[in-house]
């Protein structure tokens, strides 16, 4: 009997390869771009769907000492994998979870006065100062304190501030006037905390120039190969490769329809390739009738509806394609940003949607 892992890889309908060396190379490249302070790793949403349990230790081994998640549970899951590093939770403290932050040595990013009061209250009960980051709002209007809320002189009693941070609204659009507005508002807010280090840019913000540098950059997307400067060629290395096996090849006659609701009708005698990936795998239904996969360096157009477990392609012009061959859905020949554009979304949603049924392989 072959080992289970081999059975899985032999029979898998689709394979998701994550290149951890490329993640590390991207993190190092961002470090060169940000000489004034360290670069964190944002590993929320399971490292944008690519596996925080693999990505976080790889970054830690390369020297990364600051990690951000969105949920406490995500932070707890990586805590032991990144010894000595700061692990912080961007969404802050859900009511009742204060003890979990203390028990696991995880820092909250405080973004509302209520949270600050609860964290400070716990500090007083424990009789010691508790560490945290403070999120100040400079234009997003989601989380973060506004100027009026920060005016309270006793606001941070009992709290040891590690960083003051904010988050950019439109950093991927270099010419958006909000960037400079937020830069100036952040500088003004930080003046109230002259001794506290600052954390400013996400991936795209790191490319906006020296005015957006800080004591700690917080990239996520660029680590995973998403283009942080969409108006220019992608400077990051591709990280993800999603390959799907051709389950069936079928010749259809002129006028025959393919898939649910007959949304595609053959305008010539055609050959249809079917793969075992659908919207239940995070291969979004909005790909229906749009975009393509790549075989042997050439595009194979996606036709008809994406269904739950299957997607169909027009392989008529690829006579070399055989059942059992692999189509590239995402990868060096089919960048994640292009896939996203075809589905009317962004690379973040494409990656964080990636499903649980793929045979996942991490290479380093
Ligand atoms: C997700 C997130 C980041 C990382 O953003 P990218 O655009 O993926 O680099 C940084 N800061 C905050 C507050 C975030 O929510």
């Amino acid at each position: 009997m072959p080992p289970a892992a081999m059975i899985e890889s032999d029979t898998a309908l689709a394979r998701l390869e994550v290149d951890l060396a490329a993640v590390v190379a991207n993190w190092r490249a961002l470090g060169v771009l940000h000489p004034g302070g360290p670069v964190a790793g944002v590993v929320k949403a399971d490292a944008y769907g690519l596996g925080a349990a693999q990505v976080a230790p790889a970054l830690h081994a390369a020297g990364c000492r600051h990690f951000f998640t969105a949920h406490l549970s995500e932070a707890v899951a990586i805590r032991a994998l990144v010894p000595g590093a700061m692990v912080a939770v961007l969404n802050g403290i859900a009511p009742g979870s204060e003890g979990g932050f203390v028990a696991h040595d995880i820092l909250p990013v405080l973004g509302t006065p209520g949270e600050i009061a609860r964290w400070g209250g716990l500090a007083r009960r424990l009789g010691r100062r508790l560490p945290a980051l403070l999120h100040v709002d400079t234009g997003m209007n989601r989380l973060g304190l506004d100027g009026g809320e920060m005016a309270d002189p006793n606001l941070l009693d009992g709290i040891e501030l590690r960083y003051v941070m904010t988050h950019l609204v439109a950093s991927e659009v270099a010419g958006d006037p909000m960037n400079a507005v937020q830069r100036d508002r952040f500088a003004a807010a930080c003046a109230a905390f002259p001794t506290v280090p600052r954390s400013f840019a996400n991936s795209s913000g790191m490319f906006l120039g020296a005015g957006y540098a800080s004591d700690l950059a917080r990239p996520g997307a660029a680590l995973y190969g998403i283009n942080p400067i969409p108006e220019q060629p992608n400077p990051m290395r591709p990280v993800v490769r999603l390959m799907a096996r051709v389950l069936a090849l079928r010749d259809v006659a002129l006028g025959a329809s393919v898939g649910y609701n007959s949304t595609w009708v053959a305008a010539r005698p055609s050959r249809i390739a079917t793969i075992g990936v659908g919207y239940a795998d995070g291969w979004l239904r909005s790909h229906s009738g749009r975009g393509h996969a790549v075989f042997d360096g050439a595009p194979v157009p996606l036709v008809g509806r994406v269904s739950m477990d299957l997607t169909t392609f027009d392989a008529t012009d690829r006579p070399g394609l055989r059942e059992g061959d692999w189509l590239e859905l995402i990868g060096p020949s089919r960048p994640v940003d292009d896939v996203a554009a075809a589905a009317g979304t962004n690379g973040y949603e494409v990656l964080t949607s990636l499903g649980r049924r793929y045979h996942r392989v991490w290479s380093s």
Side-chain angles (χ1 to χ4, degrees):
M1 280 277 286
M6 196 184 289
I7 293 173
E8 189 186 354
S9 64
D10 278 347
T11 59
L13 307 184
R15 191 169 68 233
L16 178 65
E17 303 168 13
V18 177
D19 184 347
L20 294 174
V23 176
V24 167
N26 287 336
W27 181 76
R28 291 210 171 100
L30 293 171
V32 171
L33 198 65
H34 196 257
V39 176
V42 177
V43 294
K44 61 190 179 189
D46 200 26
Y48 292 45
L50 305 188
Q54 289 76 22
V55 167
L59 289 174
H60 185 263
C64 182
R65 289 296 175 269
H66 304 82
F67 293 87
F68 288 89
T69 68
H71 289 222
L72 176 60
S73 58
E74 296 175 329
V76 170
I78 64 159
R79 175 65 282 184
L81 304 176
V82 293
M86 180 190 93
V87 180
V89 174
L90 291 165
N91 283 7
I93 314 173
S97 69
E98 296 83 359
F101 281 86
V102 175
H104 294 282
D105 183 26
I106 290 161
L107 306 193
V109 176
L110 302 172
T112 69
E115 266 177 298
I116 294 172
R118 284 189 279 118
W119 195 236
L122 180 59
R124 281 190 291 284
R125 288 200 295 286
L126 295 175
R128 62 183 164 98
R129 278 148 59 82
L130 289 178
L133 293 77
L134 179 68
H135 191 165
V136 301
D137 181 53
T138 54
M140 191 76 91
N141 283 312
R142 304 183 305 188
L143 299 175
L145 268 61
D146 64 28
E149 290 164 335
M150 286 201 300
D152 175 359
N154 302 319
L155 180 72
L156 296 166
D157 282 356
I159 296 173
E160 178 196 320
L161 267 199
R162 294 283 174 83
Y163 290 94
V164 180
M165 59 163 268
T166 196
H167 193 38
L168 289 159
V169 168
S171 54
E172 78 285 8
V173 186
D176 194 306
M178 267 306 272
N179 292 321
V181 168
Q182 289 190 274
R183 179 195 62 200
D184 296 344
R185 285 182 185 159
F186 188 47
C190 288
F193 312 97
T195 61
V196 179
R198 306 170 183 194
S199 176
F200 192 8
N202 65 330
S203 298
S204 298
M206 297 181 74
F207 290 81
L208 290 174
Y212 299 82
S214 67
D215 301 300
L216 180 65
R218 300 187 313 275
L223 298 176
Y224 310 115
I226 292 171
N227 187 0
I229 41 174
E231 294 153 353
Q232 296 175 54
N234 191 350
M236 314 315 299
R237 263 174 64 175
V239 168
V240 175
R241 197 153 172 257
L242 178 59
M243 304 292 291
R245 196 196 289 268
V246 174
L247 306 183
L249 274 173
R250 161 186 298 261
D251 290 320
V252 302
L254 167 72
S257 73
V258 171
Y260 284 119
N261 304 111
S262 309
T263 59
W264 187 82
V265 177
R268 57 177 175 167
S270 301
R271 176 164 288 185
I272 297 299
T274 301
I275 62 167
V277 171
Y279 58 76
D281 302 293
W283 185 248
L284 304 173
R285 193 164 176 271
S286 54
H287 282 298
S288 295
R290 300 165 69 179
H292 60 263
V294 173
F295 176 71
D296 215 4
V300 190
L302 192 160
V303 295
R305 283 270 160 83
V306 173
S307 56
M308 186 183 292
D309 312 295
L310 299 168
T311 298
T312 42
F313 295 85
D314 178 1
T316 315
D317 296 329
R318 303 272 85 79
L321 187 67
R322 296 278 175 271
E323 285 181 7
D325 283 344
W326 294 80
L327 300 183
E328 182 176 306
L329 299 182
I330 305 174
S333 312
R334 186 63 180 147
V336 60
D337 296 286
D338 296 0
V339 172
T345 183
N346 62 13
Y348 297 66
E349 190 178 31
V350 168
L351 293 188
T352 57
S353 298
L354 290 169
R356 296 167 301 278
R357 298 194 292 191
Y358 299 123
H359 175 60
R360 290 177 174 244
V361 183
W362 290 268
S363 63
S364 48

